[in-house]
Amino acid sequence: MDFATLFGVLIGGGLVGGAIFMQGVATKTSPTVFLDGASIMIVLGGTLAATAIAFPLKEVLRIMTVLRAVFKGSTGPTLGALVDEVIDVSNFARKGPKELESQIGNIKNFFLKDGVQMVVDGYAVEEIRSILETRVEYREERERAEAGLFKAMGRFSPAFGMIGTLIGLVYMLKGMGAGGGEDMASAVGTGMATALITTFYGALMAYLFFLPMADKLNSQISSKSTVQNLLTEGVCLLAMKKHPLIVREKINSFIPPREWKRET
Amino acid sequence: MDFATLFGVLIGGGLVGGAIFMQGVATKTSPTVFLDGASIMIVLGGTLAATAIAFPLKEVLRIMTVLRAVFKGSTGPTLGALVDEVIDVSNFARKGPKELESQIGNIKNFFLKDGVQMVVDGYAVEEIRSILETRVEYREERERAEAGLFKAMGRFSPAFGMIGTLIGLVYMLKGMGAGGGEDMASAVGTGMATALITTFYGALMAYLFFLPMADKLNSQISSKSTVQNLLTEGVCLLAMKKHPLIVREKINSFIPPREWKRET
Amino acid sequence: MDFATLFGVLIGGGLVGGAIFMQGVATKTSPTVFLDGASIMIVLGGTLAATAIAFPLKEVLRIMTVLRAVFKGSTGPTLGALVDEVIDVSNFARKGPKELESQIGNIKNFFLKDGVQMVVDGYAVEEIRSILETRVEYREERERAEAGLFKAMGRFSPAFGMIGTLIGLVYMLKGMGAGGGEDMASAVGTGMATALITTFYGALMAYLFFLPMADKLNSQISSKSTVQNLLTEGVCLLAMKKHPLIVREKINSFIPPREWKRET
Amino acid sequence: MDFATLFGVLIGGGLVGGAIFMQGVATKTSPTVFLDGASIMIVLGGTLAATAIAFPLKEVLRIMTVLRAVFKGSTGPTLGALVDEVIDVSNFARKGPKELESQIGNIKNFFLKDGVQMVVDGYAVEEIRSILETRVEYREERERAEAGLFKAMGRFSPAFGMIGTLIGLVYMLKGMGAGGGEDMASAVGTGMATALITTFYGALMAYLFFLPMADKLNSQISSKSTVQNLLTEGVCLLAMKKHPLIVREKINSFIPPREWKRET
Amino acid sequence: MDFATLFGVLIGGGLVGGAIFMQGVATKTSPTVFLDGASIMIVLGGTLAATAIAFPLKEVLRIMTVLRAVFKGSTGPTLGALVDEVIDVSNFARKGPKELESQIGNIKNFFLKDGVQMVVDGYAVEEIRSILETRVEYREERERAEAGLFKAMGRFSPAFGMIGTLIGLVYMLKGMGAGGGEDMASAVGTGMATALITTFYGALMAYLFFLPMADKLNSQISSKSTVQNLLTEGVCLLAMKKHPLIVREKINSFIPPREWKRET
């Protein structure tokens, strides 16, 4: 569970809600003005409609899957532990294909397992490298498209917030002049306040939800690529039966020095 | 038929229309203020004029063709089915050029058919790869230019919305002061309401139409390139008479693991 | 003559002019408020001054040359015809350098002619490729700089529009309060109307002229690079005395399938 | 200690504080209006919440470590001194691995020491280059992610400033019309002044802190990469036992000519 | 002397100054409102403070050196003359190292001289190419960082203009309501006019100075890289003792065809 994501949404939402409540008390105005179904509908509905136009249906339908993944976070081992796992396997690789094959069942990482299977199946090093690199490249491309969907929603929601505000403003302006003085000021004020609610929703959705989500996705995608590039290099070194010392030195170069272990 | 695109346009338009109608009822103002031919003319006309300057005539004239393609969506087979088709052909490729040639008529994908024809014609693997890669590269470049046209319209329409609003504002401001108090407020309100309609149209066109269309086009272009890169790799493996097991392993790396099938 | 560019400028200008005229009639205000020499001077002058700082003098002086080229458009043959021309030459190339040399006078495309001359002069294929690719790369770089100049003017003109508006606003605000009620409203309105004219000019210049021009230039540059990359490939194939069938297949990959012809 | 960073923050803060104080005196208004805990809370809290969503927890927790590094600045030797150090080592490398090994203890730069150790351990030149280049690439990627965190905070803080202002504006507008004339103007003025404070904080945090910090980080990252690329080249030249004259000529090409020394 | 830069600054400044003066006369208001030391201090001071945070001290201190270089402009020979110089040297290179060495004193271009010296010293072609390309790459990187400094100042100055305006606005709004009718309008007008001055300075500095300067720097850097890439290619051809005809053909590809000369 990635608590940072959940806490960020809850704390950010709480701060904004608290500010609305406190200012409502201070100005003796009911904060219910901020709960406006029609405003939420036009901003969220417009954003979803634009997203449905902008992306293939099957990607839009994957939003919930992607969201769940973001909240769950990555549960994989640390980079240092991954290096250790590759070193363990490399010890068997040096003994021979049979010994290596017997270890496949113990490998938890799906990508590493697949790579080791190819080594066992006798693929050439360059074929293995090319297959694994293509996988990383296209996995990254597919996932960047999913992150792009959240980024697009982060661009669309302030736009529909503005569109909603423009609708409200036009009606408010049209009605100006009816009833003089304070009456008019009161009507103008209320009209404009309501009109601004959609701008508020558009900004809140974009900056507390869609855009940070897109950033998180992109950050998770990069981490995953680092892991898979490290494993690709590791599998190729296995296939070349390199000494564990050299394997560790080489794949250590993918991870920060503070996570390095030396072979003992 | 890509229903997501159509639904997005209809639902987005319906939501905005509904919001206009409902707020009109609530404020007892006729929603007809939002139907303004002159405003549509300056925003849409200005956008088209700028687009005519910005792009070669033959690309502007292709807008309708491109739009139809977006609404129709891609009707090609899934990535998994494409892999299967390549594997089928690879079985014949191993038997010999004659057997391969007899299968060409059964290949539906235009790009794959062309590639297999080159294998039959005895082109070298590197020549085939170079020809197919150049095709993918320049097809993508041509199509990105078309998507760029929609992106440009999405930049021009809010700009002409603003230009229209500036024209309205200048006249409204010039007329200020004629008739005091409520009369003036009413005139100012009406003038500004009308002026804002073009900003509304500019934003609506950009965010409910041009920009999501550009996104969709870019997404379709990327999918098509993935398909063609997969097929390029597949044709090269055919030409090298590789075993179907290896072909599947290699071209599987272009598609998500959940769509993989294993050779049985 | 590229009529789209000319029509775009005329129609866009006509639409904006028409909107100004019609709204002037509707509000019984003289549209002459939009003709303001001082406003044009500060926006256009400021934009040119910033451009003179931003770009080397000799590039600024080439603006008129570049503009004429944009309006004239490219008059070259279609991509399909270019392919045919290369195929024609490739038939002579196979006969020998003497036959090839006799054809040089008939080649209209400057870039192709130069390449064929190098083949006749006995340059190695890799030398020809390197020379022609460097030419394409640096030609594109020089021309992108010219397009960048228009893009910069499209960024500078709205900025100077805003600077002009700020100057007007400051004076208008300073004068506020002199004379009460309607008098003041009238003065404020007129002051602000005049101040906004520079914003209007800045936006109009940028979005109806500089930015679409930059887009057009970039689009022409890309087309030219496609042509030259096609010809580079073609000249290299000539130098290798490849069969016209293979030459056509290879250079066809640069152009859209709907413009392909097959060798008969 | 990087005094420029500290001075920038202090002087920038002092200038803004001074401007607030001086204008407070000039308008006979208490500058305490700018000290508003609730405003700081919503802008800083919202920014941190969005950042917690956008980035992995362990990167957010590293903010303080990164900040300290920025303020401390890089204390490494100049590029010219680094070149000298490599030349010194290259003299021992030519004598043999034993002489080289005896020098390792004297090398202060961690990256150079590691590289020389690999030379001593007998790694092939291409292996050393590949290991060191991977280290540079992934170190840069990790550090760019940290700089991206500050950049994101610089995007989020003005957004939450605007969200806070919208909340204030809505309440102020809702309350309009209560009490006529000057009373209302006073209430509107105070309400809007308070609402704008969050915009002020958002802009100040972004432009005096987060964005310049992100720039500084990126600049430090580039410097570090230049140093490490220089050292990678140097270590490879050591491993090839090149003459110090050639080593200096080659690695001098990474540094500005004004820092070059010639071998004497 | 690059007169375009100087003229741009003077004419742009003159136009803005003239517009301020003329509008001051037209509205019978003293233009001295635009001379506000405190406003200049907060915008320029804030920009410099943010720059001091954002960039290493030694780069900030180089601003004046860089500025002088921009105003001085490049005084090097034209591209055509450079090609001629390389051809001259290539004639000596074919005769032998001794003849080549005797010419080094006559070479004015520092980069070419260094390259020729390496040829004389007997470096291998690939070593020369690698050394010179690294020099070009890192020189460009260092200079892009300097241009980035001006670009950053162009982003910071409008931001501090806005921060200054927010400070002024808050005080003006706080004071609203004191004194009724025209008095208040006058106070509000004056307060807002003063507040807007910082926005005006921020925009003027950015668009008439920092951003065009950054563009000019980037344009000079690209020109310099073209020159150095041309010379790198030329030196490598010298080292290979290629015939002047081929040298000219090859390095002509870096420059526009209208500057080509043919060997006679």
Side-chain angles (χ1 to χ4, degrees):
Chain A
M1 194 65 196
D2 182 349
F3 290 110
T5 309
L6 193 65
F7 276 20
V9 172
L10 293 181
I11 287 172
L15 271 169
V16 172
I20 288 175
F21 184 78
M22 275 162 54
Q23 275 204 267
V25 170
T27 57
K28 287 169 194 145
T29 319
S30 161
T32 48
V33 64
F34 280 93
L35 287 174
D36 189 43
S39 298
I40 295 179
M41 204 183 70
I42 192 163
V43 179
L44 195 56
T47 301
L48 287 172
T51 308
I53 303 172
F55 288 87
L57 189 54
K58 67 170 191 223
E59 272 184 48
V60 180
L61 296 177
R62 275 178 58 78
I63 287 187
M64 294 315 295
T65 315
V66 171
L67 263 187
R68 206 166 43 224
V70 173
F71 276 103
K72 234 189 81 188
S74 64
T75 52
T78 63
L79 285 169
L82 263 173
V83 170
D84 288 343
E85 192 170 2
V86 175
I87 300 300
D88 284 351
V89 182
S90 79
N91 278 312
F92 290 93
R94 280 168 71 82
K95 289 177 192 156
K98 229 169 230 171
E99 282 77 3
L100 186 57
E101 193 163 17
S102 71
Q103 285 301 306
I104 288 186
N106 300 330
I107 302 174
K108 279 176 223 92
N109 185 293
F110 177 74
F111 188 86
L112 178 56
K113 199 175 201 163
D114 252 42
V116 172
Q117 184 66 56
M118 284 184 237
V119 177
V120 170
D121 292 350
Y123 281 71
V125 174
E126 275 326 297
E127 276 181 332
I128 296 177
R129 185 183 293 281
S130 143
I131 290 173
L132 294 183
E133 283 179 349
T134 309
R135 273 196 209 171
V136 178
E137 186 188 340
Y138 283 86
R139 191 215 87 244
E140 189 163 331
E141 195 180 305
R142 285 191 301 272
E143 294 185 351
R144 294 271 176 224
E146 287 169 3
L149 193 147
F150 281 85
K151 194 146 228 155
M153 291 177 93
R155 274 189 296 124
F156 291 143
S157 59
F160 282 94
M162 192 186 89
I163 287 170
T165 296
L166 282 168
I167 296 175
L169 268 185
V170 166
Y171 280 119
M172 181 276 275
L173 290 162
K174 264 287 171 190
M176 240 167 88
E182 281 166 49
D183 261 23
M184 189 179 80
S186 174
V188 162
T190 304
M192 233 179 120
T194 314
L196 281 179
I197 299 289
T198 56
T199 296
F200 170 77
Y201 278 126
L204 199 64
M205 283 181 201
Y207 287 99
L208 194 58
F209 201 78
F210 296 129
L211 295 176
M213 282 298 179
D215 280 344
K216 177 77 121 216
L217 275 168
N218 277 318
S219 155
Q220 288 182 345
I221 293 164
S222 297
S223 294
K224 210 168 167 181
S225 291
T226 298
V227 164
Q228 296 192 339
N229 286 331
L230 181 159
L231 293 176
T232 299
E233 189 63 41
V235 169
C236 290
L237 293 168
L238 287 187
M240 290 185 283
K241 304 201 176 184
K242 290 273 179 182
H243 191 279
L245 263 167
I246 295 182
V247 176
R248 185 180 287 278
E249 192 76 45
K250 274 217 158 177
I251 64 180
N252 259 349
S253 56
F254 289 87
I255 72 174
R258 64 178 178 277
E259 298 189 27
W260 289 356
K261 262 182 279 183
R262 296 282 172 182
E263 204 58 7
T264 46
Chain B
M1 193 66 196
D2 181 348
F3 290 109
T5 308
L6 193 64
F7 275 21
V9 173
L10 293 180
I11 287 172
L15 271 168
V16 172
I20 289 174
F21 184 77
M22 275 162 53
Q23 274 205 265
V25 171
T27 57
K28 286 168 193 144
T29 319
S30 161
T32 49
V33 64
F34 280 93
L35 288 174
D36 188 44
S39 297
I40 295 179
M41 204 182 71
I42 191 162
V43 180
L44 194 56
T47 300
L48 288 172
T51 308
I53 303 171
F55 288 88
L57 190 53
K58 67 170 189 221
E59 272 184 48
V60 179
L61 295 177
R62 274 178 58 78
I63 286 186
M64 293 316 294
T65 315
V66 172
L67 263 188
R68 205 165 43 223
V70 173
F71 276 103
K72 235 188 81 188
S74 64
T75 52
T78 64
L79 286 170
L82 263 173
V83 170
D84 288 344
E85 192 170 3
V86 174
I87 301 299
D88 284 352
V89 182
S90 79
N91 278 313
F92 289 94
R94 280 168 69 83
K95 289 178 191 153
K98 226 167 232 172
E99 283 78 3
L100 186 57
E101 192 163 19
S102 70
Q103 286 300 307
I104 287 185
N106 299 330
I107 302 173
K108 279 175 224 92
N109 185 293
F110 177 73
F111 189 85
L112 178 57
K113 199 176 202 164
D114 253 41
V116 173
Q117 185 65 56
M118 284 184 236
V119 177
V120 170
D121 292 350
Y123 281 72
V125 174
E126 275 327 297
E127 276 181 333
I128 297 177
R129 185 184 293 280
S130 143
I131 290 174
L132 294 183
E133 283 180 349
T134 309
R135 274 198 207 170
V136 177
E137 186 188 338
Y138 283 86
R139 191 216 87 244
E140 190 163 330
E141 196 180 303
R142 286 191 301 272
E143 293 185 353
R144 294 272 176 223
E146 287 169 4
L149 193 147
F150 280 85
K151 193 144 229 156
M153 293 176 93
R155 274 189 297 125
F156 291 144
S157 60
F160 282 94
M162 192 185 90
I163 286 170
T165 295
L166 282 168
I167 296 175
L169 269 184
V170 166
Y171 280 118
M172 181 275 277
L173 289 162
K174 265 285 171 193
M176 241 167 87
E182 282 165 48
D183 262 24
M184 189 178 81
S186 175
V188 163
T190 303
M192 230 179 123
T194 315
L196 281 179
I197 298 289
T198 55
T199 295
F200 170 77
Y201 278 126
L204 199 65
M205 284 181 200
Y207 287 97
L208 194 59
F209 201 78
F210 296 129
L211 295 176
M213 283 298 181
D215 281 344
K216 177 78 122 218
L217 275 167
N218 276 318
S219 155
Q220 289 181 345
I221 293 164
S222 297
S223 294
K224 210 168 169 182
S225 290
T226 298
V227 165
Q228 295 192 341
N229 285 332
L230 181 158
L231 293 176
T232 299
E233 189 64 40
V235 169
C236 290
L237 293 167
L238 286 186
M240 290 186 282
K241 304 204 176 181
K242 289 272 178 184
H243 190 278
L245 263 168
I246 295 182
V247 176
R248 185 180 288 279
E249 193 76 43
K250 275 216 157 177
I251 63 180
N252 259 350
S253 56
F254 289 87
I255 72 175
R258 65 177 179 277
E259 298 189 27
W260 289 357
K261 262 182 282 183
R262 296 281 171 183
E263 204 58 7
T264 48
Chain C
M1 193 66 197
D2 180 349
F3 289 110
T5 309
L6 193 64
F7 275 22
V9 173
L10 293 180
I11 287 172
L15 271 167
V16 171
I20 288 174
F21 184 78
M22 273 162 54
Q23 275 204 264
V25 171
T27 57
K28 285 167 194 146
T29 319
S30 161
T32 49
V33 64
F34 280 93
L35 289 174
D36 188 44
S39 297
I40 295 179
M41 202 181 72
I42 191 163
V43 179
L44 194 56
T47 301
L48 287 172
T51 308
I53 302 171
F55 288 87
L57 190 54
K58 67 171 189 222
E59 274 185 47
V60 179
L61 295 178
R62 273 178 58 78
I63 286 186
M64 293 316 295
T65 315
V66 171
L67 262 188
R68 204 165 44 223
V70 173
F71 276 103
K72 234 190 81 190
S74 64
T75 52
T78 63
L79 285 169
L82 263 174
V83 170
D84 288 344
E85 191 168 4
V86 175
I87 300 299
D88 284 352
V89 182
S90 80
N91 277 314
F92 289 94
R94 281 168 69 82
K95 290 178 192 154
K98 226 167 232 173
E99 282 79 3
L100 187 57
E101 192 163 18
S102 71
Q103 285 301 306
I104 287 185
N106 298 332
I107 302 174
K108 278 175 225 92
N109 186 294
F110 177 73
F111 189 85
L112 178 56
K113 199 175 203 164
D114 251 41
V116 172
Q117 184 64 57
M118 284 184 237
V119 177
V120 170
D121 292 350
Y123 280 72
V125 174
E126 277 325 298
E127 276 182 332
I128 296 177
R129 185 183 294 279
S130 144
I131 290 173
L132 294 183
E133 282 179 350
T134 308
R135 274 198 207 170
V136 177
E137 186 187 339
Y138 283 86
R139 191 216 88 242
E140 189 163 331
E141 196 180 303
R142 285 191 300 273
E143 293 184 353
R144 294 273 175 221
E146 287 169 1
L149 192 147
F150 280 86
K151 193 143 229 155
M153 292 176 94
R155 275 188 297 125
F156 291 143
S157 60
F160 282 94
M162 192 185 88
I163 286 170
T165 296
L166 282 168
I167 296 175
L169 269 184
V170 166
Y171 280 118
M172 180 274 276
L173 289 162
K174 265 286 172 191
M176 240 167 87
E182 281 165 48
D183 261 24
M184 188 178 80
S186 175
V188 163
T190 303
M192 233 180 120
T194 315
L196 281 178
I197 298 289
T198 55
T199 296
F200 170 78
Y201 278 126
L204 200 64
M205 283 180 200
Y207 287 98
L208 194 58
F209 201 77
F210 296 129
L211 295 176
M213 282 300 179
D215 281 344
K216 178 77 120 218
L217 274 167
N218 276 318
S219 154
Q220 288 181 345
I221 292 164
S222 297
S223 294
K224 208 166 169 182
S225 290
T226 298
V227 165
Q228 295 191 341
N229 285 332
L230 181 159
L231 293 176
T232 299
E233 189 64 41
V235 168
C236 289
L237 293 167
L238 286 187
M240 291 185 283
K241 303 203 175 183
K242 289 272 179 185
H243 191 278
L245 262 168
I246 295 181
V247 176
R248 185 179 287 278
E249 193 75 43
K250 276 217 156 176
I251 63 179
N252 259 351
S253 56
F254 289 88
I255 72 174
R258 64 176 179 279
E259 297 189 28
W260 288 357
K261 262 183 281 184
R262 296 280 172 184
E263 204 57 8
T264 47
Chain D
M1 192 66 196
D2 181 349
F3 290 110
T5 309
L6 193 65
F7 277 19
V9 172
L10 293 182
I11 288 172
L15 271 167
V16 172
I20 288 174
F21 184 78
M22 274 161 55
Q23 276 204 265
V25 171
T27 58
K28 286 168 195 146
T29 318
S30 160
T32 50
V33 65
F34 281 93
L35 287 173
D36 189 44
S39 298
I40 295 179
M41 202 182 71
I42 192 162
V43 179
L44 194 56
T47 301
L48 287 172
T51 308
I53 303 172
F55 288 87
L57 188 55
K58 67 172 189 219
E59 273 184 48
V60 180
L61 295 178
R62 275 178 58 79
I63 287 186
M64 293 316 295
T65 315
V66 171
L67 263 187
R68 206 166 41 223
V70 173
F71 276 103
K72 234 189 82 188
S74 65
T75 51
T78 64
L79 286 169
L82 263 173
V83 170
D84 288 344
E85 191 169 3
V86 175
I87 301 300
D88 283 352
V89 182
S90 79
N91 278 313
F92 290 93
R94 281 169 70 83
K95 290 177 191 156
K98 228 168 229 173
E99 282 78 2
L100 187 55
E101 193 163 16
S102 70
Q103 285 300 307
I104 288 186
N106 300 331
I107 303 174
K108 278 175 225 91
N109 185 294
F110 176 74
F111 188 86
L112 178 57
K113 197 175 202 166
D114 252 42
V116 172
Q117 184 66 56
M118 284 185 238
V119 177
V120 169
D121 292 350
Y123 281 71
V125 174
E126 275 326 298
E127 276 180 332
I128 296 176
R129 184 184 294 281
S130 143
I131 290 173
L132 294 183
E133 282 179 351
T134 309
R135 272 196 209 171
V136 177
E137 186 188 340
Y138 282 86
R139 192 215 86 242
E140 189 163 333
E141 196 180 304
R142 285 190 302 272
E143 293 184 352
R144 294 273 176 221
E146 287 169 2
L149 194 147
F150 281 85
K151 193 145 228 153
M153 292 176 93
R155 274 188 297 124
F156 291 142
S157 60
F160 282 94
M162 192 186 88
I163 286 169
T165 296
L166 282 168
I167 295 175
L169 268 183
V170 166
Y171 280 118
M172 180 275 276
L173 289 162
K174 265 287 171 189
M176 240 166 87
E182 282 165 50
D183 260 23
M184 189 177 81
S186 174
V188 163
T190 304
M192 234 180 118
T194 314
L196 281 178
I197 297 290
T198 55
T199 296
F200 169 77
Y201 278 125
L204 199 64
M205 283 180 201
Y207 287 99
L208 193 58
F209 201 78
F210 296 129
L211 295 177
M213 281 299 178
D215 281 345
K216 177 77 120 216
L217 274 169
N218 276 318
S219 153
Q220 288 181 345
I221 293 164
S222 298
S223 296
K224 210 167 167 182
S225 290
T226 298
V227 165
Q228 296 192 340
N229 285 331
L230 181 159
L231 292 177
T232 300
E233 190 63 40
V235 168
C236 290
L237 293 167
L238 287 187
M240 292 185 283
K241 303 201 176 184
K242 291 272 180 183
H243 191 279
L245 262 168
I246 296 181
V247 176
R248 185 179 286 279
E249 192 77 44
K250 274 216 159 179
I251 63 179
N252 258 350
S253 56
F254 289 87
I255 72 174
R258 64 176 178 279
E259 297 189 28
W260 289 356
K261 263 182 280 185
R262 298 279 172 184
E263 204 56 8
T264 45
Chain E
M1 192 65 197
D2 181 349
F3 289 110
T5 308
L6 194 64
F7 276 20
V9 173
L10 293 181
I11 287 171
L15 271 167
V16 171
I20 288 174
F21 184 78
M22 273 162 55
Q23 275 205 264
V25 171
T27 57
K28 284 168 195 144
T29 318
S30 161
T32 49
V33 65
F34 281 93
L35 288 174
D36 188 43
S39 297
I40 296 179
M41 201 183 73
I42 192 163
V43 180
L44 195 56
T47 301
L48 287 172
T51 308
I53 303 172
F55 288 87
L57 189 55
K58 65 173 189 218
E59 274 183 47
V60 179
L61 295 177
R62 274 178 58 78
I63 287 186
M64 293 316 295
T65 315
V66 171
L67 263 187
R68 205 166 42 223
V70 173
F71 276 103
K72 233 189 82 187
S74 64
T75 51
T78 63
L79 286 170
L82 263 173
V83 170
D84 288 345
E85 190 169 5
V86 175
I87 301 300
D88 284 352
V89 182
S90 79
N91 277 315
F92 289 93
R94 282 168 70 82
K95 289 178 194 154
K98 228 168 229 173
E99 282 79 2
L100 186 56
E101 193 163 16
S102 70
Q103 285 300 307
I104 287 185
N106 300 332
I107 302 174
K108 278 175 226 91
N109 185 294
F110 176 73
F111 189 86
L112 178 57
K113 198 174 204 166
D114 250 41
V116 172
Q117 184 65 56
M118 284 185 239
V119 177
V120 169
D121 291 350
Y123 281 72
V125 174
E126 276 325 298
E127 277 181 332
I128 296 177
R129 184 183 294 279
S130 143
I131 290 173
L132 294 184
E133 282 179 351
T134 308
R135 273 197 209 172
V136 177
E137 186 188 339
Y138 283 85
R139 192 215 87 242
E140 189 163 333
E141 196 180 302
R142 285 190 301 272
E143 294 184 351
R144 294 275 175 219
E146 287 170 1
L149 193 147
F150 280 86
K151 192 144 230 154
M153 292 176 93
R155 274 188 297 125
F156 291 142
S157 60
F160 282 94
M162 192 186 87
I163 286 170
T165 296
L166 282 168
I167 296 175
L169 269 183
V170 166
Y171 279 119
M172 180 274 276
L173 289 162
K174 265 286 172 190
M176 240 167 87
E182 281 166 49
D183 261 24
M184 188 178 81
S186 174
V188 163
T190 304
M192 235 181 117
T194 314
L196 282 178
I197 299 290
T198 55
T199 296
F200 170 77
Y201 278 125
L204 200 64
M205 283 180 201
Y207 287 98
L208 193 58
F209 201 78
F210 296 128
L211 295 176
M213 280 300 177
D215 281 345
K216 178 76 120 216
L217 274 168
N218 276 317
S219 154
Q220 287 181 346
I221 293 164
S222 297
S223 296
K224 209 167 169 183
S225 290
T226 298
V227 164
Q228 294 191 341
N229 286 331
L230 182 159
L231 292 177
T232 300
E233 189 63 41
V235 168
C236 290
L237 294 166
L238 286 187
M240 291 185 283
K241 304 202 174 183
K242 290 272 180 184
H243 190 279
L245 262 168
I246 296 181
V247 176
R248 185 180 287 279
E249 192 76 44
K250 276 218 157 177
I251 63 179
N252 258 350
S253 56
F254 289 87
I255 72 174
R258 63 176 180 279
E259 297 189 30
W260 288 357
K261 262 182 282 184
R262 296 279 171 184
E263 206 54 9
T264 46

